[in-house]
Amino acid sequence: MKHLFLKNDFHFWRKLINAWSLLFFIMIIIDFLSANLYEEILNAAATIYISVLAIYVSNKEFERWYDKHEEDHPGEIFVIIWSILIFSLFILDFLLGTAYHLPGAVVSSYIAVLTILVITRKSKELFKLKQKRRTR
């Protein structure tokens, strides 16, 4: 067990972020269905989710820059899922009026996901430019 955590295992972090993403999405939907009954726990879940996402993405980018990461798992998929969820919640929030309000932790998490995607796309672009210069 100790060896698992000491090893820089990209697959572990990918599985962890996938599990946290699924759990967080389910919690957001349950909070919506229960009219913000679980808003407080969403704050904690959002903090953990963004932290795990930041670790996963940082690990992926470091591996890319040190030529250890070759797999490609586009973050755009997460952004599409997040965008559909947020757009749906905005529409439902508007239609339901005071029965539900979109929690700030959810909005903040969406903004963090978008920010992380932009940073990683720029990092990937710079890395490809570096590789292109290296092959010349």
Short mmCIF file of all heavy atoms in Angstrom, two decimals, residues 25 49 74-86 110 113-118:
data_model
loop_
_atom_site.label_atom_id
_atom_site.label_comp_id
_atom_site.label_asym_id
_atom_site.label_seq_id
_atom_site.Cartn_x
_atom_site.Cartn_y
_atom_site.Cartn_z
N PHE A 25 -21.03 15.08 -9.29
CA PHE A 25 -22.18 15.31 -10.18
C PHE A 25 -23.45 14.74 -9.56
O PHE A 25 -24.51 15.39 -9.60
CB PHE A 25 -21.95 14.69 -11.56
CG PHE A 25 -20.87 15.36 -12.36
CD1 PHE A 25 -20.13 14.64 -13.27
CD2 PHE A 25 -20.57 16.71 -12.21
CE1 PHE A 25 -19.13 15.24 -14.03
CE2 PHE A 25 -19.58 17.33 -12.95
CZ PHE A 25 -18.87 16.59 -13.87
N TYR A 49 -13.00 18.03 -4.63
CA TYR A 49 -13.03 17.78 -6.07
C TYR A 49 -12.00 18.64 -6.81
O TYR A 49 -11.20 18.14 -7.60
CB TYR A 49 -14.43 18.05 -6.62
CG TYR A 49 -14.50 17.98 -8.12
CD1 TYR A 49 -14.48 16.75 -8.77
CD2 TYR A 49 -14.55 19.13 -8.89
CE1 TYR A 49 -14.53 16.68 -10.16
CE2 TYR A 49 -14.60 19.07 -10.27
CZ TYR A 49 -14.59 17.85 -10.90
OH TYR A 49 -14.62 17.78 -12.26
N PRO A 74 -8.58 14.03 -23.20
CA PRO A 74 -8.93 15.44 -23.30
C PRO A 74 -9.86 15.92 -22.19
O PRO A 74 -10.87 15.30 -21.87
CB PRO A 74 -9.60 15.56 -24.66
CG PRO A 74 -10.02 14.17 -25.02
CD PRO A 74 -9.10 13.23 -24.30
N GLY A 75 -9.47 17.05 -21.59
CA GLY A 75 -10.27 17.67 -20.54
C GLY A 75 -11.55 18.29 -21.07
O GLY A 75 -12.43 18.63 -20.29
N GLU A 76 -11.63 18.43 -22.38
CA GLU A 76 -12.85 19.01 -22.97
C GLU A 76 -14.08 18.20 -22.62
O GLU A 76 -15.18 18.74 -22.50
CB GLU A 76 -12.72 19.12 -24.50
CG GLU A 76 -11.73 20.16 -24.96
CD GLU A 76 -10.29 19.68 -24.98
OE1 GLU A 76 -10.00 18.52 -24.63
OE2 GLU A 76 -9.42 20.50 -25.32
N ILE A 77 -13.91 16.89 -22.43
CA ILE A 77 -15.05 16.03 -22.06
C ILE A 77 -15.62 16.48 -20.72
O ILE A 77 -16.84 16.60 -20.57
CB ILE A 77 -14.62 14.55 -22.02
CG1 ILE A 77 -14.25 14.09 -23.44
CG2 ILE A 77 -15.73 13.68 -21.44
CD1 ILE A 77 -13.57 12.75 -23.50
N PHE A 78 -14.74 16.75 -19.74
CA PHE A 78 -15.20 17.23 -18.44
C PHE A 78 -15.92 18.57 -18.59
O PHE A 78 -16.95 18.81 -17.97
CB PHE A 78 -14.03 17.40 -17.46
CG PHE A 78 -13.63 16.13 -16.79
CD1 PHE A 78 -12.56 15.40 -17.27
CD2 PHE A 78 -14.32 15.66 -15.69
CE1 PHE A 78 -12.18 14.22 -16.65
CE2 PHE A 78 -13.95 14.49 -15.07
CZ PHE A 78 -12.87 13.77 -15.55
N VAL A 79 -15.37 19.45 -19.41
CA VAL A 79 -15.97 20.77 -19.59
C VAL A 79 -17.34 20.66 -20.26
O VAL A 79 -18.27 21.37 -19.90
CB VAL A 79 -15.02 21.70 -20.39
CG1 VAL A 79 -15.71 23.00 -20.75
CG2 VAL A 79 -13.77 21.98 -19.57
N ILE A 80 -17.48 19.76 -21.20
CA ILE A 80 -18.78 19.56 -21.86
C ILE A 80 -19.81 19.06 -20.85
O ILE A 80 -20.94 19.58 -20.78
CB ILE A 80 -18.66 18.59 -23.05
CG1 ILE A 80 -17.88 19.26 -24.19
CG2 ILE A 80 -20.03 18.12 -23.54
CD1 ILE A 80 -17.46 18.32 -25.30
N ILE A 81 -19.43 18.07 -20.05
CA ILE A 81 -20.35 17.55 -19.04
C ILE A 81 -20.71 18.65 -18.04
O ILE A 81 -21.89 18.84 -17.71
CB ILE A 81 -19.74 16.32 -18.32
CG1 ILE A 81 -19.60 15.16 -19.30
CG2 ILE A 81 -20.58 15.92 -17.11
CD1 ILE A 81 -18.75 14.01 -18.78
N TRP A 82 -19.70 19.37 -17.56
CA TRP A 82 -19.94 20.47 -16.63
C TRP A 82 -20.85 21.53 -17.25
O TRP A 82 -21.76 22.04 -16.59
CB TRP A 82 -18.62 21.12 -16.21
CG TRP A 82 -18.07 20.59 -14.92
CD1 TRP A 82 -17.04 19.72 -14.77
CD2 TRP A 82 -18.54 20.89 -13.61
NE1 TRP A 82 -16.84 19.47 -13.43
CE2 TRP A 82 -17.74 20.18 -12.70
CE3 TRP A 82 -19.56 21.71 -13.12
CZ2 TRP A 82 -17.93 20.26 -11.33
CZ3 TRP A 82 -19.74 21.79 -11.74
CH2 TRP A 82 -18.93 21.06 -10.87
N SER A 83 -20.60 21.88 -18.49
CA SER A 83 -21.39 22.92 -19.16
C SER A 83 -22.85 22.51 -19.30
O SER A 83 -23.75 23.32 -19.06
CB SER A 83 -20.80 23.24 -20.54
OG SER A 83 -19.50 23.78 -20.38
N ILE A 84 -23.08 21.27 -19.67
CA ILE A 84 -24.46 20.77 -19.77
C ILE A 84 -25.14 20.82 -18.41
O ILE A 84 -26.28 21.28 -18.28
CB ILE A 84 -24.48 19.34 -20.36
CG1 ILE A 84 -24.07 19.37 -21.83
CG2 ILE A 84 -25.85 18.69 -20.18
CD1 ILE A 84 -23.79 18.00 -22.43
N LEU A 85 -24.43 20.38 -17.37
CA LEU A 85 -24.99 20.39 -16.02
C LEU A 85 -25.30 21.81 -15.56
O LEU A 85 -26.41 22.09 -15.10
CB LEU A 85 -24.01 19.71 -15.04
CG LEU A 85 -24.44 19.66 -13.58
CD1 LEU A 85 -25.70 18.83 -13.41
CD2 LEU A 85 -23.31 19.10 -12.73
N ILE A 86 -24.35 22.72 -15.71
CA ILE A 86 -24.54 24.11 -15.27
C ILE A 86 -25.65 24.79 -16.07
O ILE A 86 -26.52 25.47 -15.50
CB ILE A 86 -23.23 24.91 -15.37
CG1 ILE A 86 -22.20 24.39 -14.37
CG2 ILE A 86 -23.46 26.41 -15.16
CD1 ILE A 86 -22.57 24.60 -12.91
N TYR A 110 -17.20 25.03 -11.41
CA TYR A 110 -17.27 25.13 -12.87
C TYR A 110 -16.22 26.11 -13.38
O TYR A 110 -15.50 25.83 -14.34
CB TYR A 110 -18.67 25.54 -13.29
CG TYR A 110 -18.86 25.69 -14.77
CD1 TYR A 110 -18.63 24.63 -15.63
CD2 TYR A 110 -19.28 26.89 -15.31
CE1 TYR A 110 -18.81 24.76 -17.01
CE2 TYR A 110 -19.47 27.03 -16.69
CZ TYR A 110 -19.24 25.97 -17.52
OH TYR A 110 -19.43 26.09 -18.88
N VAL A 113 -12.83 24.48 -13.16
CA VAL A 113 -12.65 23.49 -14.24
C VAL A 113 -12.31 24.20 -15.55
O VAL A 113 -11.40 23.78 -16.27
CB VAL A 113 -13.92 22.61 -14.38
CG1 VAL A 113 -13.90 21.81 -15.67
CG2 VAL A 113 -14.06 21.68 -13.18
N LEU A 114 -13.03 25.28 -15.85
CA LEU A 114 -12.74 26.04 -17.08
C LEU A 114 -11.33 26.62 -17.04
O LEU A 114 -10.59 26.56 -18.03
CB LEU A 114 -13.76 27.17 -17.27
CG LEU A 114 -15.18 26.76 -17.59
CD1 LEU A 114 -16.08 27.99 -17.61
CD2 LEU A 114 -15.26 26.02 -18.91
N THR A 115 -10.95 27.17 -15.90
CA THR A 115 -9.62 27.76 -15.75
C THR A 115 -8.53 26.71 -15.92
O THR A 115 -7.53 26.94 -16.63
CB THR A 115 -9.49 28.44 -14.37
OG1 THR A 115 -10.53 29.42 -14.24
CG2 THR A 115 -8.14 29.09 -14.18
N ILE A 116 -8.71 25.58 -15.30
CA ILE A 116 -7.73 24.50 -15.41
C ILE A 116 -7.61 24.02 -16.85
O ILE A 116 -6.51 23.78 -17.35
CB ILE A 116 -8.07 23.34 -14.44
CG1 ILE A 116 -7.82 23.79 -13.00
CG2 ILE A 116 -7.29 22.08 -14.78
CD1 ILE A 116 -8.36 22.85 -11.94
N LEU A 117 -8.72 23.94 -17.55
CA LEU A 117 -8.68 23.53 -18.96
C LEU A 117 -7.88 24.53 -19.79
O LEU A 117 -7.03 24.13 -20.60
CB LEU A 117 -10.08 23.38 -19.55
CG LEU A 117 -10.08 23.04 -21.05
CD1 LEU A 117 -9.59 21.62 -21.29
CD2 LEU A 117 -11.45 23.24 -21.65
N VAL A 118 -8.12 25.81 -19.59
CA VAL A 118 -7.40 26.84 -20.35
C VAL A 118 -5.89 26.75 -20.08
O VAL A 118 -5.07 26.80 -21.01
CB VAL A 118 -7.93 28.25 -20.01
CG1 VAL A 118 -7.03 29.33 -20.57
CG2 VAL A 118 -9.36 28.40 -20.54
#
